[in-house]
Amino acid sequence: MFLKKVETLEKLLNLRKKDIVTAVGSNGKTTFCLNLCKELKLKKKTVFLTTTVKILPINKKYGFVDITIPNIENEDEEKEREVFSEMEITSFLLNLEKNLNNSNNVYVLGIYDSKIGKITSLSPELLENISEKCDYMIIEGDGSKMKPLKGWKKTEPVYTKNTTKSVGILPINIIGNKINDVNIHRMEEFLEISKSQKNETLTLNHLYNLIVHKNGLFQYALGERILILNCAERNKDKENALNLAKMLKSNINFRDTRIGVTSLKNREYYEIEENNIMKEENHNSKISAIIMASGKSKRMGTNKLLLEYRGITFIENTLEKVLNENFYELAIVISDKKVRKKCQDYIKKSEKDEKKIYIVGNKKSEKGQSESIKIGLKTLEKCEGYMFFSCDQPFLTSNTIKKILQNFKTKGITIPEYNGKRSLPVIFGENFKDELLKLEGDTGGKTVISNHQDKIKIVEIENPDEGKDIDTKEDYEMLKKGEQDVYSRNNNKQ
């Protein structure tokens, strides 16, 4: 492994339009949020900067637009006021719309509590509703009392349900320091998670435990997990960061976690590159992808591929994740002209090699999913495996796709299982191609799977919501209203 310098946080994060980024951890969260917002402001993007916990007011020198709601004093001084009148919310939204019409900028959102001198969180529902109005939302979702490290209670960190990137930040320069009350917030929790003892010297093993433990840095993380090892100003810090990254990459649950090494205060950013041997181990399979996008959406009553979620259509949501992987070829099987146009426009913007991407029509879509499977297979060259995607799993993450790919064995069938329920995307080895080409009706590849139980590799996916299909109007309404139960803890306050 080695460090490769990148110019911006945007590139380090592989930021995409409509991303909702939640920063958690310690020692650098606020600087991270401010640096990222400044970058996006220079690119004339509309950015919402907010919190799900409590943060200090943003210095006016940044030129951000303050649209915080003042917290009127309570009669009960012991309680924070969490419910605002309809008039106050309407006033806030009108003020937001007015400012958005003026220019692209960074908008600081939240509730200003004059008693504590901090900005506190808007309601989760309001944050989700206004997220469509910005290009990016940057959220500080954790607190550490200004200490380098912390342990986590069961109510933290705090995420919005539509978070797309969970960024965990830890200081790598803390290695060699003492585990004491000066350095640690929530000592009892920290000792349990890091498997350490008070007054011990901090080691890489302690940080490793803090990251991988189920109640650690990425507790409740949503979307893509990204680790940032901050405060890497010295060569020794960079060396420790590389050694820690090697330890993490040997853990199957963190093999695909993006890792950055930074000095946020100096705006120096590095991504960790794997050497050629390691890359070959992870990407030596020549696998092609087939997106089955020619269904009739009978239960929805309208073409669900053109419905929007987080500012993009279902078909674009799927394309974004598939194009993010290094597939050998891609076939998109469609039956609708508008879907074709959406695909063409998105692929053109993605700047991917269009020579290996095929949009093919399905004139027999009424015959069921088997037609999409057969058309996709006939379109693509011979390869080691074919990964089949539907377009109605909006919660599916890139991490899960990578995990399925990594578990694929040549001449096998790899199936993700979400809380005991099997679903897509599934990979079939090339040796099953002839059998798949004989399929009929709307059963998909289930017949082939049932005939080859001994060839199946099940991949357990931690978040069951990733396997949820959006098939009906009721499903879609729940999705839009944010009523899906995705690790819902947002009403808990730190």
Side-chain angles (χ1 to χ4, degrees), residues 422-457:
R422 296 180 183 182
S423 188
L424 294 169
V426 173
I427 308 176
F428 289 91
E430 199 279 335
N431 50 304
F432 297 105
K433 183 175 181 179
D434 290 342
E435 202 169 338
L436 289 166
L437 287 171
K438 295 175 183 176
L439 291 174
E440 298 291 340
D442 203 29
T443 59
K446 292 177 183 177
T447 304
V448 179
I449 291 169
S450 65
N451 290 339
H452 300 279
Q453 294 292 320
D454 59 324
K455 299 291 185 181
I456 294 172
K457 167 70 175 177

Tab-separated table of all heavy atoms in Angstrom, residues 422-457:
chain	number	residue	atom	x	y	z
A	422	ARG	N	-33.450	-14.014	0.503
A	422	ARG	CA	-32.572	-13.894	-0.668
A	422	ARG	C	-33.141	-12.888	-1.670
A	422	ARG	O	-34.352	-12.803	-1.853
A	422	ARG	CB	-32.410	-15.250	-1.354
A	422	ARG	CG	-31.712	-16.294	-0.504
A	422	ARG	CD	-31.595	-17.614	-1.248
A	422	ARG	NE	-30.982	-18.644	-0.421
A	422	ARG	CZ	-30.718	-19.879	-0.842
A	422	ARG	NH1	-31.021	-20.223	-2.096
A	422	ARG	NH2	-30.146	-20.753	-0.041
A	423	SER	N	-32.244	-12.139	-2.288
A	423	SER	CA	-32.693	-11.156	-3.279
A	423	SER	C	-31.548	-10.844	-4.230
A	423	SER	O	-30.517	-11.523	-4.230
A	423	SER	CB	-33.189	-9.886	-2.558
A	423	SER	OG	-33.791	-8.999	-3.478
A	424	LEU	N	-31.732	-9.828	-5.049
A	424	LEU	CA	-30.714	-9.385	-5.987
A	424	LEU	C	-29.782	-8.378	-5.302
A	424	LEU	O	-30.109	-7.871	-4.235
A	424	LEU	CB	-31.384	-8.739	-7.200
A	424	LEU	CG	-32.216	-9.682	-8.088
A	424	LEU	CD1	-33.033	-8.870	-9.086
A	424	LEU	CD2	-31.333	-10.672	-8.813
A	425	PRO	N	-28.623	-8.113	-5.935
A	425	PRO	CA	-28.095	-8.678	-7.182
A	425	PRO	C	-27.433	-10.040	-6.977
A	425	PRO	O	-26.821	-10.286	-5.944
A	425	PRO	CB	-27.053	-7.631	-7.610
A	425	PRO	CG	-26.632	-6.964	-6.347
A	425	PRO	CD	-27.815	-6.971	-5.446
A	426	VAL	N	-27.584	-10.899	-7.969
A	426	VAL	CA	-27.049	-12.266	-7.943
A	426	VAL	C	-26.017	-12.419	-9.053
A	426	VAL	O	-26.187	-11.865	-10.140
A	426	VAL	CB	-28.186	-13.293	-8.126
A	426	VAL	CG1	-27.627	-14.700	-8.264
A	426	VAL	CG2	-29.160	-13.219	-6.969
A	427	ILE	N	-24.961	-13.183	-8.771
A	427	ILE	CA	-23.953	-13.486	-9.793
A	427	ILE	C	-24.034	-14.966	-10.160
A	427	ILE	O	-23.992	-15.834	-9.280
A	427	ILE	CB	-22.520	-13.173	-9.315
A	427	ILE	CG1	-22.413	-11.751	-8.769
A	427	ILE	CG2	-21.534	-13.367	-10.476
A	427	ILE	CD1	-21.048	-11.423	-8.198
A	428	PHE	N	-24.140	-15.242	-11.458
A	428	PHE	CA	-24.077	-16.612	-11.986
A	428	PHE	C	-22.756	-16.787	-12.735
A	428	PHE	O	-22.381	-15.927	-13.547
A	428	PHE	CB	-25.227	-16.885	-12.961
A	428	PHE	CG	-26.572	-17.003	-12.314
A	428	PHE	CD1	-27.385	-15.895	-12.147
A	428	PHE	CD2	-27.040	-18.238	-11.882
A	428	PHE	CE1	-28.637	-15.999	-11.558
A	428	PHE	CE2	-28.302	-18.358	-11.291
A	428	PHE	CZ	-29.090	-17.232	-11.129
A	429	GLY	N	-22.077	-17.899	-12.478
A	429	GLY	CA	-20.880	-18.223	-13.241
A	429	GLY	C	-21.218	-18.457	-14.706
A	429	GLY	O	-22.352	-18.825	-15.049
A	430	GLU	N	-20.232	-18.293	-15.580
A	430	GLU	CA	-20.445	-18.433	-17.023
A	430	GLU	C	-20.945	-19.823	-17.391
A	430	GLU	O	-21.666	-19.996	-18.383
A	430	GLU	CB	-19.131	-18.123	-17.761
A	430	GLU	CG	-19.288	-17.774	-19.223
A	430	GLU	CD	-19.427	-19.001	-20.126
A	430	GLU	OE1	-18.948	-20.093	-19.729
A	430	GLU	OE2	-19.999	-18.852	-21.228
A	431	ASN	N	-20.619	-20.821	-16.564
A	431	ASN	CA	-21.023	-22.190	-16.848
A	431	ASN	C	-22.544	-22.395	-16.772
A	431	ASN	O	-23.061	-23.414	-17.226
A	431	ASN	CB	-20.334	-23.158	-15.888
A	431	ASN	CG	-20.477	-22.748	-14.427
A	431	ASN	OD1	-20.106	-21.629	-14.073
A	431	ASN	ND2	-20.978	-23.632	-13.598
A	432	PHE	N	-23.275	-21.417	-16.210
A	432	PHE	CA	-24.733	-21.526	-16.127
A	432	PHE	C	-25.431	-20.793	-17.282
A	432	PHE	O	-26.662	-20.739	-17.324
A	432	PHE	CB	-25.235	-20.950	-14.799
A	432	PHE	CG	-24.730	-21.695	-13.590
A	432	PHE	CD1	-23.737	-21.147	-12.795
A	432	PHE	CD2	-25.227	-22.949	-13.265
A	432	PHE	CE1	-23.263	-21.828	-11.688
A	432	PHE	CE2	-24.766	-23.636	-12.162
A	432	PHE	CZ	-23.763	-23.079	-11.370
A	433	LYS	N	-24.654	-20.242	-18.200
A	433	LYS	CA	-25.222	-19.417	-19.266
A	433	LYS	C	-26.242	-20.186	-20.111
A	433	LYS	O	-27.353	-19.688	-20.366
A	433	LYS	CB	-24.110	-18.860	-20.151
A	433	LYS	CG	-24.608	-17.922	-21.252
A	433	LYS	CD	-23.441	-17.308	-22.021
A	433	LYS	CE	-23.939	-16.361	-23.101
A	433	LYS	NZ	-22.808	-15.729	-23.839
A	434	ASP	N	-25.885	-21.372	-20.558
A	434	ASP	CA	-26.793	-22.149	-21.418
A	434	ASP	C	-28.112	-22.456	-20.708
A	434	ASP	O	-29.188	-22.400	-21.317
A	434	ASP	CB	-26.132	-23.455	-21.857
A	434	ASP	CG	-24.998	-23.210	-22.855
A	434	ASP	OD1	-24.965	-22.112	-23.450
A	434	ASP	OD2	-24.144	-24.095	-23.024
A	435	GLU	N	-28.025	-22.773	-19.434
A	435	GLU	CA	-29.221	-23.085	-18.651
A	435	GLU	C	-30.100	-21.838	-18.481
A	435	GLU	O	-31.333	-21.909	-18.554
A	435	GLU	CB	-28.808	-23.637	-17.285
A	435	GLU	CG	-29.885	-24.463	-16.610
A	435	GLU	CD	-29.374	-25.211	-15.391
A	435	GLU	OE1	-28.145	-25.434	-15.287
A	435	GLU	OE2	-30.213	-25.563	-14.541
A	436	LEU	N	-29.458	-20.691	-18.266
A	436	LEU	CA	-30.199	-19.428	-18.121
A	436	LEU	C	-30.895	-19.046	-19.427
A	436	LEU	O	-31.986	-18.476	-19.428
A	436	LEU	CB	-29.255	-18.303	-17.679
A	436	LEU	CG	-28.733	-18.381	-16.232
A	436	LEU	CD1	-27.561	-17.422	-16.026
A	436	LEU	CD2	-29.852	-18.067	-15.234
A	437	LEU	N	-30.270	-19.365	-20.553
A	437	LEU	CA	-30.843	-19.037	-21.867
A	437	LEU	C	-32.088	-19.875	-22.185
A	437	LEU	O	-32.829	-19.547	-23.119
A	437	LEU	CB	-29.798	-19.224	-22.969
A	437	LEU	CG	-28.689	-18.160	-23.020
A	437	LEU	CD1	-27.596	-18.564	-23.989
A	437	LEU	CD2	-29.271	-16.794	-23.398
A	438	LYS	N	-32.345	-20.908	-21.409
A	438	LYS	CA	-33.521	-21.751	-21.623
A	438	LYS	C	-34.700	-21.356	-20.721
A	438	LYS	O	-35.759	-21.977	-20.770
A	438	LYS	CB	-33.162	-23.222	-21.373
A	438	LYS	CG	-32.140	-23.779	-22.360
A	438	LYS	CD	-31.742	-25.202	-21.989
A	438	LYS	CE	-30.674	-25.731	-22.940
A	438	LYS	NZ	-30.209	-27.091	-22.535
A	439	LEU	N	-34.518	-20.330	-19.911
A	439	LEU	CA	-35.571	-19.910	-18.973
A	439	LEU	C	-36.810	-19.404	-19.696
A	439	LEU	O	-36.716	-18.820	-20.775
A	439	LEU	CB	-35.049	-18.813	-18.032
A	439	LEU	CG	-33.987	-19.225	-17.004
A	439	LEU	CD1	-33.471	-17.991	-16.269
A	439	LEU	CD2	-34.564	-20.227	-15.996
A	440	GLU	N	-37.956	-19.591	-19.061
A	440	GLU	CA	-39.220	-19.069	-19.576
A	440	GLU	C	-40.004	-18.442	-18.433
A	440	GLU	O	-39.877	-18.843	-17.275
A	440	GLU	CB	-40.065	-20.196	-20.211
A	440	GLU	CG	-39.408	-20.879	-21.405
A	440	GLU	CD	-39.308	-19.983	-22.619
A	440	GLU	OE1	-40.061	-18.985	-22.687
A	440	GLU	OE2	-38.474	-20.268	-23.507
A	441	GLY	N	-40.829	-17.446	-18.750
A	441	GLY	CA	-41.723	-16.855	-17.758
A	441	GLY	C	-41.060	-15.840	-16.854
A	441	GLY	O	-40.018	-15.263	-17.184
A	442	ASP	N	-41.651	-15.638	-15.678
A	442	ASP	CA	-41.237	-14.545	-14.793
A	442	ASP	C	-40.578	-15.048	-13.511
A	442	ASP	O	-40.594	-14.373	-12.483
A	442	ASP	CB	-42.464	-13.691	-14.437
A	442	ASP	CG	-42.081	-12.292	-14.009
A	442	ASP	OD1	-41.034	-11.802	-14.473
A	442	ASP	OD2	-42.818	-11.693	-13.212
A	443	THR	N	-39.988	-16.242	-13.565
A	443	THR	CA	-39.368	-16.805	-12.358
A	443	THR	C	-37.916	-16.392	-12.200
A	443	THR	O	-37.290	-16.688	-11.189
A	443	THR	CB	-39.446	-18.346	-12.386
A	443	THR	OG1	-38.781	-18.820	-13.560
A	443	THR	CG2	-40.888	-18.815	-12.360
A	444	GLY	N	-37.366	-15.701	-13.200
A	444	GLY	CA	-35.970	-15.306	-13.121
A	444	GLY	C	-35.055	-16.519	-13.093
A	444	GLY	O	-35.319	-17.532	-13.743
A	445	GLY	N	-33.983	-16.416	-12.299
A	445	GLY	CA	-33.012	-17.513	-12.237
A	445	GLY	C	-33.284	-18.506	-11.132
A	445	GLY	O	-32.411	-19.331	-10.809
A	446	LYS	N	-34.478	-18.479	-10.535
A	446	LYS	CA	-34.780	-19.347	-9.396
A	446	LYS	C	-34.673	-20.832	-9.748
A	446	LYS	O	-34.251	-21.648	-8.929
A	446	LYS	CB	-36.175	-19.039	-8.849
A	446	LYS	CG	-36.281	-17.670	-8.189
A	446	LYS	CD	-37.702	-17.386	-7.721
A	446	LYS	CE	-37.808	-15.984	-7.118
A	446	LYS	NZ	-39.201	-15.649	-6.729
A	447	THR	N	-35.076	-21.161	-10.970
A	447	THR	CA	-35.018	-22.574	-11.383
A	447	THR	C	-33.585	-23.066	-11.408
A	447	THR	O	-33.275	-24.169	-10.925
A	447	THR	CB	-35.646	-22.746	-12.782
A	447	THR	OG1	-36.973	-22.240	-12.769
A	447	THR	CG2	-35.658	-24.204	-13.187
A	448	VAL	N	-32.705	-22.253	-11.968
A	448	VAL	CA	-31.283	-22.622	-12.034
A	448	VAL	C	-30.708	-22.742	-10.629
A	448	VAL	O	-29.959	-23.684	-10.328
A	448	VAL	CB	-30.494	-21.580	-12.855
A	448	VAL	CG1	-29.012	-21.948	-12.907
A	448	VAL	CG2	-31.067	-21.467	-14.265
A	449	ILE	N	-31.071	-21.815	-9.758
A	449	ILE	CA	-30.572	-21.840	-8.378
A	449	ILE	C	-31.024	-23.117	-7.664
A	449	ILE	O	-30.230	-23.791	-6.992
A	449	ILE	CB	-31.063	-20.590	-7.608
A	449	ILE	CG1	-30.378	-19.339	-8.160
A	449	ILE	CG2	-30.798	-20.723	-6.110
A	449	ILE	CD1	-30.967	-18.032	-7.668
A	450	SER	N	-32.298	-23.471	-7.831
A	450	SER	CA	-32.818	-24.667	-7.154
A	450	SER	C	-32.169	-25.939	-7.677
A	450	SER	O	-32.086	-26.943	-6.958
A	450	SER	CB	-34.341	-24.749	-7.311
A	450	SER	OG	-34.698	-24.923	-8.673
A	451	ASN	N	-31.687	-25.920	-8.915
A	451	ASN	CA	-31.039	-27.103	-9.505
A	451	ASN	C	-29.583	-27.256	-9.090
A	451	ASN	O	-28.961	-28.291	-9.363
A	451	ASN	CB	-31.110	-27.044	-11.031
A	451	ASN	CG	-32.514	-27.239	-11.552
A	451	ASN	OD1	-33.378	-27.778	-10.868
A	451	ASN	ND2	-32.768	-26.783	-12.779
A	452	HIS	N	-29.009	-26.223	-8.450
A	452	HIS	CA	-27.566	-26.262	-8.147
A	452	HIS	C	-27.302	-25.744	-6.731
A	452	HIS	O	-26.493	-24.833	-6.519
A	452	HIS	CB	-26.791	-25.425	-9.169
A	452	HIS	CG	-26.958	-25.891	-10.576
A	452	HIS	ND1	-26.246	-26.952	-11.100
A	452	HIS	CD2	-27.786	-25.450	-11.569
A	452	HIS	CE1	-26.608	-27.143	-12.363
A	452	HIS	NE2	-27.534	-26.250	-12.671
A	453	GLN	N	-27.980	-26.343	-5.759
A	453	GLN	CA	-27.827	-25.917	-4.378
A	453	GLN	C	-26.379	-26.032	-3.881
A	453	GLN	O	-25.942	-25.256	-3.020
A	453	GLN	CB	-28.744	-26.744	-3.468
A	453	GLN	CG	-30.231	-26.524	-3.712
A	453	GLN	CD	-30.694	-25.129	-3.307
A	453	GLN	OE1	-30.260	-24.605	-2.290
A	453	GLN	NE2	-31.562	-24.536	-4.106
A	454	ASP	N	-25.651	-26.977	-4.424
A	454	ASP	CA	-24.272	-27.196	-3.981
A	454	ASP	C	-23.304	-26.144	-4.503
A	454	ASP	O	-22.151	-26.072	-4.070
A	454	ASP	CB	-23.791	-28.586	-4.422
A	454	ASP	CG	-23.841	-28.770	-5.938
A	454	ASP	OD1	-24.781	-28.232	-6.566
A	454	ASP	OD2	-22.952	-29.431	-6.490
A	455	LYS	N	-23.754	-25.314	-5.432
A	455	LYS	CA	-22.887	-24.291	-6.030
A	455	LYS	C	-23.134	-22.900	-5.442
A	455	LYS	O	-22.508	-21.918	-5.854
A	455	LYS	CB	-23.113	-24.231	-7.543
A	455	LYS	CG	-22.811	-25.521	-8.295
A	455	LYS	CD	-21.324	-25.819	-8.299
A	455	LYS	CE	-21.016	-27.047	-9.152
A	455	LYS	NZ	-19.565	-27.360	-9.151
A	456	ILE	N	-24.054	-22.816	-4.480
A	456	ILE	CA	-24.486	-21.510	-3.981
A	456	ILE	C	-23.575	-21.007	-2.868
A	456	ILE	O	-23.205	-21.745	-1.952
A	456	ILE	CB	-25.936	-21.583	-3.457
A	456	ILE	CG1	-26.906	-21.862	-4.609
A	456	ILE	CG2	-26.327	-20.287	-2.747
A	456	ILE	CD1	-28.320	-22.133	-4.151
A	457	LYS	N	-23.219	-19.732	-2.959
A	457	LYS	CA	-22.505	-19.026	-1.900
A	457	LYS	C	-23.423	-17.901	-1.404
A	457	LYS	O	-23.789	-16.999	-2.160
A	457	LYS	CB	-21.196	-18.434	-2.428
A	457	LYS	CG	-20.522	-17.422	-1.513
A	457	LYS	CD	-19.949	-18.062	-0.267
A	457	LYS	CE	-19.171	-17.035	0.566
A	457	LYS	NZ	-18.650	-17.608	1.816
